[in-house]
């Protein structure tokens, strides 16, 4: 067994592949590979050098170490979306190719006996299979690609080196596969569309992203540090009460500080007992 390598992983699945006839599946597979290769070649990437595990309706690709992550996400994915839109514009819905693309990075064994062992591989495939990703793509019939990335990829690549992508178009989603004991957060966009204007189950609305992120941070860095961070950025708000200054979060905790001016006590606003 060789040592695992840290690589960029891409999982791609075709929408509604199993609903096609045998000949339609054959045709879809051929166009699928052509479109991926053409998009990569256009932005200067050589997909022949990618290590891929093929499936009828998609593939799992492991990108060479020397390939820029930002180039894959910020250039290759938008170009793939453009080509898919052009390809689909002259075809009936049953013949169109629309893709869910998931991107993650992590350790993977390249010498597995029947694939690529590694939790990162399982993770990226779970992202690609996520129900919110499927529903988001279905909400935009003219779209070509729904892109979902792990939190690490969003933070390190999309936010810092977006190239042609628009970070503000990404929304947090909860990826849950209860039967597989999998529950994680990720970031989703439908390329060249605005998810903020539609309601998709599992997608965290923009006005709730901050609170959801605070919950995740509290679990990661500890309740006390999360409370101090909230205090530095304007305090904690619960309903109409806003606490500034030192504060604490958790069962039985107390908050010390001052109450904001919009706090009201009594039976009605502006009518204190």
């Amino acid at each position: 067994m060789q040592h695992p390598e840290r690589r960029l992983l891409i999982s791609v699945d075709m929408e509604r592949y199993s609903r096609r006839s045998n000949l339609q599946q054959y045709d879809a597979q051929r166009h699928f590979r052509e479109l991926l290769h053409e998009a990569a070649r256009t932005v200067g990437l050589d997909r022949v050098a990618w290590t891929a595990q093929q499936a009828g309706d998609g593939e799992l690709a492991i990108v060479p170490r020397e390939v820029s992550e930002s180039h894959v996400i910020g250039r290759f994915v938008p170009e793939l979306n453009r080509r898919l839109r052009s390809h689909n514009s002259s075809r009936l819905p049953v013949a169109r190719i629309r893709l869910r693309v998931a991107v993650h990075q992590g350790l993977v064994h390249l010498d597995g006996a029947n694939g690529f062992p590694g939790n990162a591989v399982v993770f990226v495939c779970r992202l690609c299979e996520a129900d919110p990703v499927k529903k988001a793509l279905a909400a935009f019939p003219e779209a070509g690609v729904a892109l979902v990335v792990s939190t690490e990829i969003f933070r390190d690549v999309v936010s810092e080196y977006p190239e042609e992508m628009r970070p503000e178009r990404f929304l947090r989603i909860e990826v849950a596969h209860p039967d597989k004991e999998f529950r994680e957060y990720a970031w989703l966009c439908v390329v060249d569309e605005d998810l903020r204007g539609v309601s998709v189950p599992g997608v965290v609305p923009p006005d709730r992203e901050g609170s959801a992120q605070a919950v995740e941070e509290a679990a990661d860095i500890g309740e006390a540090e999360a409370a101090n961070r909230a205090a530095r950025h304007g305090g904690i708000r619960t309903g109409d009460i806003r606490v500034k200054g030192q504060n604490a979060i958790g069962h039985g905790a107390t908050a010390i500080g001052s109450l904001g001016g919009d706090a009201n006590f009594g039976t009605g606003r502006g009518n204190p007992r």
Side-chain angles (χ1 to χ4, degrees):
M1 181 179 66
Q2 299 176 0
H3 288 292
E5 297 185 16
R6 186 169 297 277
R7 296 290 191 88
L8 188 71
L9 309 171
I10 306 173
S11 179
V12 184
D13 273 328
M14 272 189 273
E15 181 187 57
R16 299 188 175 186
Y17 176 82
S18 62
R19 301 185 186 184
R20 304 170 194 251
S21 68
N22 289 2
L23 291 178
Q24 288 169 343
Q25 289 181 12
Y26 187 95
D27 194 52
Q29 286 189 19
R30 179 171 60 85
H31 289 300
F32 170 79
R33 288 180 59 82
E34 289 175 354
L35 289 163
L36 287 171
H37 282 290
E38 290 169 359
R41 186 167 53 249
T42 299
V43 300
L45 295 175
D46 180 14
R47 266 181 45 87
V48 175
W50 296 13
T51 303
Q53 180 176 299
Q54 303 294 338
D57 59 349
E59 71 171 30
L60 169 68
I62 301 175
V63 180
R65 287 188 298 269
E66 62 271 15
V67 174
S68 165
E69 296 176 353
S70 62
H71 201 74
V72 171
I73 296 172
R75 298 283 304 282
F76 169 67
V77 173
E79 178 62 27
L80 178 61
N81 175 68
R82 286 190 289 268
R83 289 185 174 274
L84 287 167
R85 286 177 182 261
S86 176
H87 174 86
N88 294 336
S89 63
S90 60
R91 287 170 170 79
L92 295 173
V94 70
R96 293 174 184 171
I97 299 176
R98 286 155 39 88
L99 303 178
R100 302 188 309 276
V101 178
V103 183
H104 181 46
Q105 61 83 27
L107 293 174
V108 56
H109 288 275
L110 300 178
D111 61 339
N114 192 39
F116 306 114
N119 287 326
V121 172
V122 175
F123 192 101
V124 75
C125 291
R126 295 283 185 267
L127 295 187
C128 199
E129 297 165 359
D131 197 53
V133 184
K134 296 178 181 179
K135 285 184 166 57
L137 184 58
F140 297 94
E142 304 304 317
V145 174
L147 172 66
V148 57
V149 301
S150 62
T151 298
E152 296 86 348
I153 292 294
F154 179 78
R155 179 192 63 219
D156 297 340
V157 182
V158 176
S159 296
E160 297 291 340
Y161 309 99
E163 299 204 22
E164 294 183 31
M165 299 302 293
R166 298 179 60 177
E168 72 276 8
R169 290 286 179 89
F170 284 76
L171 295 182
R172 288 178 87 239
I173 64 170
E174 184 179 24
V175 178
H177 298 281
D179 57 323
K180 299 171 183 175
E181 299 183 347
F182 184 94
R183 188 178 298 273
E184 297 285 347
Y185 283 106
W187 290 83
L188 169 68
C189 82
V190 178
V191 183
D192 286 340
E193 303 288 353
D194 193 348
L195 266 176
R196 295 170 295 184
V198 300
S199 176
V200 177
V203 175
V204 181
D207 59 347
R208 288 180 51 205
E209 285 179 4
S211 59
Q213 188 170 5
V215 170
E216 187 178 39
E217 287 178 352
D220 291 339
I221 66 177
E223 293 178 347
E225 185 176 345
N228 290 335
R229 179 180 296 179
R232 291 196 299 269
H233 293 82
I236 296 176
R237 177 183 292 274
T238 304
D240 287 332
I241 300 175
R242 183 178 68 253
V243 179
K244 290 188 175 180
Q246 296 179 353
N247 43 64
I249 302 174
H251 178 70
T254 58
I256 304 173
S258 60
L259 293 177
D262 52 356
N264 291 276
F265 301 89
T267 57
R269 293 183 179 274
N271 185 24
R273 290 183 180 179

